[in-house]
Amino acid sequence: MTAIRAARAARPARPARAAGTTRAAFGLPVVLPIALVVAVLPACGSDNDARGWVADRYHRTGAQGDTERFTSADPVGRTAAAIAAGATPAARATDRGNEYLRYADDIVIVSAAAAGAGSIVRVEDLDDQFNRGQYAFLGSGFGPGSPADGDGGPGDGK
């Protein structure tokens, strides 16, 4: 028995371990990737939901079918810029003072309100009107067959 004690005494002493360090060292590599997945998943599913973004920030004034109307106290340019910053459009165009923002499922039209009292935001479902070419006059990205996830510019769909 004394030989065993002597062998143990000859070994260098292990450094003292703080309580819980093994668990903490194991937990960080596991918890960090899980936290990143939880943070990123909602953003992946949003698909630039312009309709939801507009509904959360502007006053709804009415709806008819798949079209909803909202009001904004800001002028057309500022309102359209805010919407585009909050939900990136696939294409954007201006025509006769109106701003058009195209998304995968919707088109957002921002126009001036009466007497310069801000702007009107109309969110329409992109179904028959878009497919019949109603917005083709706006140019690249607004004609039938324009890619929903591209800007409709040169090289898209090739």
Side-chain angles (χ1 to χ4, degrees), residues 91-93 95 98-102 108-109 135 137-138 142:
R92 184 174 176 178
D95 183 62
N98 296 327
E99 293 269 351
Y100 297 83
L101 302 120
R102 185 180 61 79
V108 176
I109 303 165
Y135 299 108
F137 71 94
L138 294 171
F142 287 90

Side-chain angles (χ1 to χ4, degrees), residues 30-45:
V30 172
V31 172
L32 189 58
I34 291 171
L36 287 173
V37 167
V38 169
V40 170
L41 275 179
C44 292

Side-chain angles (χ1 to χ4, degrees), residues 74-82 92 94 97-99 110-113 118-120:
D74 292 326
V76 172
R78 192 176 308 155
T79 300
R92 184 174 176 178
T94 302
N98 296 327
E99 293 269 351
V110 184
S111 55
S119 53
I120 297 168

